[in-house]
Structure formats: C-alpha cells, structure tokens
Amino acid sequence: MSAQELFPTPYSERGNGFAVQAVTHWLRVAPGRVMLGLKAGGLPVALPDRPATVSHRGIEAKSDGHVTAIEDVSSVWLREHPDVTSRYIAALRSVLKNPRIRLDGYATHAIFTGSIELYAGSRMDSIAFELDDEDGSYERVIELLRHAPRDARTAFAMPPEPGMGSFEDPLFLAGDQAWIDGQRVLIEYIPDEGGRAETVALDRDALADAVERAWYAMIDVAERIRTDLGRPT
C-alpha cells in the first residue's frame, strides 16, 4: 500500500485528507556493462545508511538491457543530514568514473531532479503528480492554487498548447483529471488496488502550502548534488 511509502512527519507534509513529500532520487543501480563488459546490465552504487522510515524503493527501468534502479529518499531528511548526501555523492562519483557506465537520459534526469509525491484519500493512495523544474509545471501548480478564481471551476492543468482543439482534454497536473472548484481541488484517480475511479476534494490553500515547502526541500538537495558532482576531483 502507498501508506507504507509515506515518510513520518516532519518528513512529509500532512493536510486534511492528503500528504505531500519531497523525494531525492538516489541511483541504487546505474546502467552499464557487466560480465567483463560483455552484457548490458547495471552497476550497483554503495548507498549510505539511512533510517528505513525515510526512504522507499523507487522505479526500476530497463532499456536495451541496461538497468536503472532508484531509491527514493526524503529530501527534508537529507537537508538535515548533509553528511549523508556527501557520502552518496562520493559513492555515485566512483561509479560514474567506471568506463563501463552507460548513463542514459532517464538515469541522468533521476540523478539531478527529485519529485514531489502526493497521497490522498482514506487509504492514502498514490496520485500521479508530475512536477518538473524545466517545464513550468511547478509554477503553474502554485499559480492556479493561489490565484485561480474562487467563484468558478478551473482546470487544474497546464495551459493549452498551440493548436489544441477545444474538444481535447487538457494536460492535468494531478490524477486522471483535476479541477479547482472554489476553495477545493477535485482530483479523480484510480486507487492503488484498482477498481473504479475515486475523487478527493482537497483544500487548495493547504495543498499550495504543502507543495511549496516540499518543493524547496527537494530543490535544495538537488542543487547540492548538481553543484558537488560538477566540481572537479
């Protein structure tokens, strides 16, 4: 269940019916060549110790046989423990120096960009919530939550792209579809255990506050990793 992936407070932001948490993506396995370079696979990264309650397994992906595996760690906890980030960077750097490394776009993006996770509903189901610091999605989320009209319904979505027809669904920012309705954010999603779609109604101001705090924690750690990996050894 997604509730098992929730970090305890203060490492997750809790609101009425929802939780938001910032995660930093540690490479647990980096894409590379194994068996003396004869086979595509993955190179393990010696991750630093951390409490089990502040990390959970992330995505594992395979491309042309090359494996990328992620460990998602609380950005808030890492911000409180900069020495752990230093040890992770040192371990990652030693793997990146390996001539058998085969970094692809996904693995590179994971190294330098964290995520904001959203959980909601009575079971705290995981809800798709894709924010990125390169496509303006974070700024769009905050703009809508803070400034969308409070006497109307507004799509909680990215702006329409040029050429999109009025009949096309917008690119929603959360769940399968989401709307700001007055003081509430209505998000439709499929529960983790499957079944029929459900809808949650979240307070827009409380969600905005939680997302802002989580976002800046994630960015702080991401910038530290970018800066330190960019330094010559």
Side-chain angles (χ1 to χ4, degrees):
M1 295 210 24
S2 291
Q4 297 173 346
E5 298 180 345
L6 268 174
F7 307 142
T9 55
Y11 305 118
S12 60
E13 300 281 346
R14 306 296 178 106
N16 185 12
F18 75 89
V20 171
Q21 62 189 25
V23 299
T24 296
H25 303 308
W26 277 2
L27 277 194
R28 180 167 52 87
V29 178
R33 305 295 296 180
V34 296
M35 295 182 62
L36 302 178
L38 300 176
K39 182 181 178 181
L43 307 177
V45 180
L47 300 182
D49 293 335
R50 68 274 177 204
T53 54
V54 297
S55 72
H56 63 75
R57 285 295 172 95
I59 293 173
E60 182 168 327
K62 184 177 287 189
S63 176
D64 296 328
H66 294 105
V67 177
T68 301
I70 303 297
E71 184 79 7
D72 288 332
V73 186
S74 165
S75 303
V76 176
W77 185 83
L78 288 173
R79 189 168 59 178
E80 293 178 353
H81 299 81
D83 56 310
V84 177
T85 296
S86 296
R87 292 199 293 274
Y88 167 66
I89 291 170
L92 179 61
R93 192 192 299 275
S94 68
V95 173
L96 296 180
K97 289 180 178 178
N98 191 317
R100 294 176 183 163
I101 193 78
R102 297 293 186 273
L103 277 188
D104 55 18
Y106 174 73
T108 301
H109 188 268
I111 291 172
F112 296 114
T113 307
S115 297
I116 305 300
E117 297 178 341
L118 172 64
Y119 302 84
S122 59
R123 297 176 302 273
M124 284 294 159
D125 290 302
S126 175
I127 295 179
F129 194 48
E130 299 294 336
L131 301 187
D132 198 289
D133 61 351
E134 296 179 350
D135 64 2
S137 51
Y138 167 73
E139 290 78 7
R140 178 67 172 174
V141 162
I142 297 303
E143 175 194 352
L144 290 171
L145 293 175
R146 297 293 192 202
H147 304 298
R150 295 179 185 262
D151 58 355
R153 175 174 283 205
T154 304
F156 190 46
M158 293 294 284
E161 295 183 358
M164 283 185 65
S166 59
F167 58 87
E168 295 183 71
D169 289 335
L171 181 58
F172 290 107
L173 291 160
D176 294 328
Q177 63 171 307
W179 301 84
I180 296 178
D181 184 24
Q183 184 59 30
R184 306 175 302 168
V185 183
L186 307 177
I187 305 174
E188 181 181 282
Y189 67 98
I190 301 297
D192 292 331
E193 297 179 354
R196 299 178 62 181
E198 298 184 9
T199 300
V200 291
L202 310 179
D203 181 87
R204 62 188 281 182
D205 294 324
L207 182 60
D209 291 342
V211 170
E212 280 188 332
R213 288 191 292 266
W215 178 264
Y216 286 114
M218 183 272 289
I219 288 296
D220 280 350
V221 178
E223 289 181 348
R224 163 81 188 282
I225 293 172
R226 292 172 188 171
T227 300
D228 285 11
L229 279 179
R231 290 183 177 135
T233 58

